[in-house]
Amino acid sequence: MKVFEYLGAGIPVISTSLPSLVGEVRHVRFADHADDVVAAIESEISGPSADRETRQAYAARFSWDRRVQQALELLATL
């Protein structure tokens, strides 16, 4: 999934309701039909949404650097 890369770039994300995202990943708008996708895009363009810095800060928690750090911390406890 590229969702964290997009969020890390500060880009608004619109996705279908993928089970791995719904209820698991914040700052993603879900749209399952063409009309809903268009409405979500128009909303992101014209209305207030989470700002770039908020999306980037959230995505930083899921970066590869962070994941490697977490793995090393777990290994150190063994």
Side-chain angles (χ1 to χ4, degrees):
M1 290 186 304
K2 298 286 186 181
V3 67
F4 291 114
E5 292 179 31
Y6 300 143
L7 292 172
I11 298 170
V13 176
I14 299 166
S15 173
T16 56
S17 297
L18 298 171
S20 58
L21 296 179
V22 174
E24 300 295 325
V25 180
R26 296 185 354 218
H27 306 293
V28 175
R29 285 182 178 244
F30 297 101
D32 293 313
H33 303 286
D35 292 341
D36 296 333
V37 172
V38 171
I41 292 169
E42 288 174 345
S43 177
E44 283 295 336
I45 291 171
S46 64
S49 65
D51 63 1
R52 176 179 297 271
E53 292 82 17
T54 300
R55 289 187 289 264
Q56 289 173 320
Y58 174 73
R61 297 174 25 204
F62 302 95
S63 72
W64 283 111
D65 288 338
R66 180 68 185 126
R67 290 177 188 221
V68 168
Q69 182 62 36
Q70 289 170 329
L72 291 173
E73 289 169 6
L74 287 172
L75 287 171
T77 64
L78 296 177

